[in-house]
């Protein structure tokens, strides 16, 4: 990837929500490696400062902002801080998410609301508060979805609903914002190695191996593979792609969720 990414995003500013760890941190790091100035945001002040410091240590320009994406006004303040530090924004990645494994009958009102508020309303907050700060034409917005947006996975009613809603938001905004010079796309990662998401969904080695074998490519994906797709989507190499919901999943989304009923 070195020759593809070198300088690809020079002069661009990126804002990555939910980027203190995992897939989104790898995306933020990749955008910084490609020359973008990056703002990373998540709830934990310690985690987000550590993430920003790690990116700065590579020589890139990066600030970290502690903020909960559920706080509509707070997200607006975060964008204002990003613009004050780096200038107008060219790239937004909305990837903050929460998940736990439970049957619908075991998900309380607060539990359902927590996931909808982070994954769907949080996405709305990032889009809504970010839009006025976008440099157009040419801006690119990406959300991080999940296979749950396509197939009804048991024990994931809250995530299924939230991610499907967020992907429909992406398609709607692609239609509304296309004439305004903003592209909006979604990435669906499959089971990705060394992530909190997979630690929750497959909490032991047997479950992890089963997840790997559940994909046509018979393996887990890597954070780098998702980051490379994000880099492509927010670069001018993808200038005619908008409203696309693109799996990076070893073919998993070609298959169904594969079982009936809940485990508990
Ligand atoms: N099973 C059932 N309900 C659960 C649960 C579980 N494993 N974990 C949390 N909940 C419920 C809580 O009991 C609470 O409901 P209640 O008030 O009726 O008891 C509700 O969810 C909210 O929990 P709380 O811990 O207060 O929420 P939070 O806002 O601090 O955290 C979560 C949000 C629950 C999504 C938390 O898991 C989180 O912060 N996740 C971020 C990291 C992550 O999930 N990474 C993977 C991304 S794919
Ligand atoms: P992760 O490391 O837990 O990443 C989630 C990030 O979101 C963290 O930085 C977390 O930081 C932040 N966050 C959580 N709640 C937030 C809130 N309310 N406000 C602001 N930030 C918040 O998990 P991951 O597995 O890499 O997942 C990243 C994305 O990929 C998610 O959108 C997930 O749905 C998607 N995905 C993952 C997989 C997988 O295999 N892992 C598969 C499909 C889709 P704080 O705790 O500091 O807030």
């Amino acid at each position: 990837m070195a020759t593809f990414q070198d300088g690809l995003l020079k002069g661009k500013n990126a804002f990555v929500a939910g980027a203190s760890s995992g897939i989104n941190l790898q995306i933020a790091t990749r955008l910084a490696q490609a020359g973008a100035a990056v703002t990373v945001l998540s709830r934990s002040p310690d985690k987000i400062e550590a993430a920003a410091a790690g990116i700065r240590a590579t020589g890139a320009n990066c600030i970290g902002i502690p903020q909960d994406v559920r706080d509509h006004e707070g997200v607006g303040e975060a964008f204002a801080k990003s613009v004050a530090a780096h200038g107008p924004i060219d790239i937004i990645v909305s990837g903050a998410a929460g998940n736990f494994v439970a049957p619908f009958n075991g998900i309380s009102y607060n539990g359902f609301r927590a996931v909808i508020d982070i994954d769907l309303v949080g996405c709305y907050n990032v889009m809504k508060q970010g839009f006025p700060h976008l440099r157009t034409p040419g801006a690119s917005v990406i959300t991080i979805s999940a296979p749950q947006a396509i197939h009804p996975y048991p024990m994931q009613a809250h995530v299924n609903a939230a991610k499907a809603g967020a992907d429909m938001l992406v398609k709607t905004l692609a239609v509304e914002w296309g004439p305004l010079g903003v592209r909006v796309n979604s990435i669906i990662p499959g089971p990705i190695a060394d992530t909190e998401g997979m630690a929750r969904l497959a909490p032991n080695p047997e479950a992890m191996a089963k997840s790997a074998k559940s994909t046509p490519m018979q393996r887990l994906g890597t954070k780098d593979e998702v980051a490379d797709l994000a880099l492509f989507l927010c670069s001018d190499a993808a200038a005619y792609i908008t409203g696309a919901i693109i799996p990076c999943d070893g073919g998993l989304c070609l298959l169904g969720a594969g079982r009936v009923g809940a485990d508990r």
Side-chain angles (χ1 to χ4, degrees):
M1 289 300 296
T3 50
F4 174 56
Q5 72 189 33
D6 280 352
L8 192 66
L9 302 181
K10 199 165 184 306
K12 306 260 188 190
N13 298 322
F15 185 105
V16 186
S20 62
S21 58
I23 292 169
N24 304 322
L25 174 56
Q26 196 62 31
I27 290 173
T29 303
R30 178 68 87 256
L31 302 187
Q33 284 169 344
V38 178
T39 299
V40 289
L41 172 150
S42 84
R43 290 169 303 181
S44 158
D46 291 347
K47 281 172 62 183
I48 203 63
E49 186 41 42
I55 292 174
R56 280 196 299 273
T58 68
N61 189 355
C62 181
I63 60 166
I65 301 177
Q67 185 56 251
D68 193 317
V69 294
R70 289 171 283 192
D71 178 346
H72 185 71
E73 298 305 325
V75 172
E77 287 161 18
F79 274 105
K81 282 182 198 162
S82 175
V83 171
H86 297 147
I89 293 166
D90 304 284
I91 297 157
I92 294 175
V93 180
S94 175
N99 193 358
F100 56 83
V101 178
F104 180 80
N105 291 340
I107 302 177
S108 69
Y109 175 74
N110 282 342
F112 193 77
R113 278 292 299 268
V115 171
I116 295 289
D117 283 350
I118 299 169
D119 293 28
L120 178 55
V121 183
C123 201
Y124 163 86
N125 289 338
V126 170
M127 308 285 204
K128 185 77 173 177
Q129 298 287 29
F131 179 80
H133 301 290
L134 287 174
R135 178 156 44 201
T136 58
S140 172
V141 177
I142 299 171
T143 64
I144 307 303
S145 182
Q148 289 92 324
I150 296 179
H151 295 295
Y153 282 79
M155 318 287 282
Q156 291 281 272
H158 43 3
V159 177
N160 295 340
K163 293 290 193 181
D167 277 355
M168 187 50 85
L169 190 58
V170 163
K171 292 181 195 173
T172 308
L173 293 184
V175 172
E176 293 194 10
W177 290 356
L180 306 178
V182 181
R183 296 184 298 108
V184 191
N185 293 293
S186 167
I187 293 174
I188 295 189
I192 303 301
D194 302 321
T195 60
E196 179 62 25
M198 279 310 290
R200 289 177 183 227
L201 293 172
N204 56 58
E206 294 73 31
M208 198 66 84
K210 198 173 159 196
S211 285
K213 289 289 176 196
S214 72
T215 71
M217 291 194 71
Q218 301 279 283
R219 67 169 175 87
L220 301 177
T222 68
K223 289 176 276 194
D224 273 325
E225 287 168 332
V226 182
D228 288 342
L229 174 57
L231 175 62
F232 166 69
L233 279 178
C234 64
S235 75
D236 291 341
Y240 202 49
I241 299 177
T242 195
I245 312 292
I246 304 181
C248 180
D249 68 344
L252 179 72
C253 286
L254 298 172
L255 312 173
R259 60 200 167 100
V260 175
D263 294 341
R264 48 183 143 124

